[in-house]
Amino acid sequence: MINQQNSNLKKSLIALIATASIGGISLGFASEARSAFSPNGNTAVSQSQETLLAQTSGNLKAIGMSGIPDGFSERQWMNAQGDVMITDISDDSYTLKVEASGLVPHGLYTVWWMKEEGGSNTAGPAGGLPYNDVRADRNGNAATVIEVPKNNDYQMMAMAYHSDNQTHGYHPGENGVNSFGHLMGEFIKPNN
């Protein structure tokens, strides 16, 4: 009886976490940043297809490798954090929900995938354009949903803040001038 109650409580908590809403990065430091993050021990949640809400989750950590924009202390900047979870899986794609806090209030952000390829780093807008942009609310919280190919070979995810209030399309902008890498972590993938 207690095991069944614990199982039901676990499922309820997973559903709550998966549905709760809290509200680019320059390639110049992608390899350095990548080495700072090791796999975070993503764990699968064993559930039936009917109750599958999130199979895998991960964290985004604050980084300051491209500098800190004017008007922010290092402590304020490094207080940011994020969570990423898979919310839906189809045959050829999956959906990620990205939630972050401690961001620049009303700040414009973009979400990027990164990978090492042939000895160099490449990056692109996660979810494609214009779906990779998100604006923080007045408290510095942001949430966005992106869809990515299931067979992707992305290694890292990053969020860049744009101090000039522009997204810059397929490039995050000028590193340390109008684009500041703020959050980074492993790019999560479905377990199947």
Side-chain angles (χ1 to χ4, degrees):
M1 176 85 165
I2 291 176
N3 284 343
Q4 179 64 29
Q5 288 174 336
N6 285 343
S7 177
N8 289 340
L9 178 61
K10 183 176 178 181
K11 287 179 183 177
S12 297
L13 287 173
I14 290 167
L16 177 64
I17 290 168
T19 58
S21 177
I22 296 177
I25 194 163
S26 173
L27 295 179
F29 63 86
S31 61
E32 182 181 341
R34 187 172 172 264
S35 67
F37 293 88
S38 60
N40 61 4
N42 292 340
T43 58
V45 175
S46 176
Q47 300 178 22
S48 68
Q49 268 310 80
E50 296 83 25
T51 61
L52 178 66
L53 294 175
Q55 276 195 333
T56 307
S57 63
N59 298 67
L60 300 175
K61 298 177 184 178
I63 56 173
M65 295 174 199
S66 59
I68 297 172
D70 292 338
F72 297 92
S73 69
E74 181 177 357
R75 182 176 174 195
Q76 288 171 314
W77 187 256
M78 298 304 288
N79 192 41
Q81 61 185 356
D83 293 308
V84 182
M85 64 192 79
I86 295 174
T87 60
D88 189 40
I89 302 171
S90 68
D91 289 339
D92 57 352
S93 66
Y94 62 103
T95 303
L96 295 170
K97 183 170 188 177
V98 181
E99 299 177 335
S101 62
L103 302 177
V104 175
H106 301 288
L108 180 62
Y109 283 81
T110 50
V111 183
W112 299 86
W113 59 261
M114 298 182 318
K115 65 180 178 176
E116 191 174 321
E117 188 172 60
S120 64
N121 294 304
T122 58
L129 295 178
Y131 306 107
N132 73 320
D133 67 333
V134 60
R135 187 168 297 278
D137 67 16
R138 66 185 176 134
N139 297 314
N141 299 319
T144 190
V145 175
I146 57 173
E147 186 174 335
V148 295
K150 193 171 182 181
N151 64 349
N152 74 67
D153 56 356
Y154 310 152
Q155 297 167 334
M156 301 296 290
M157 174 182 280
M159 286 184 73
Y161 164 65
H162 302 282
S163 61
D164 62 352
N165 209 31
Q166 296 181 35
T167 61
H168 302 275
Y170 285 98
H171 188 274
E174 192 173 346
N175 188 31
V177 175
N178 56 25
S179 180
F180 297 85
H182 202 172
L183 295 174
M184 182 177 280
E186 182 180 4
F187 205 101
I188 62 172
K189 304 200 171 55
N191 291 324
N192 53 3

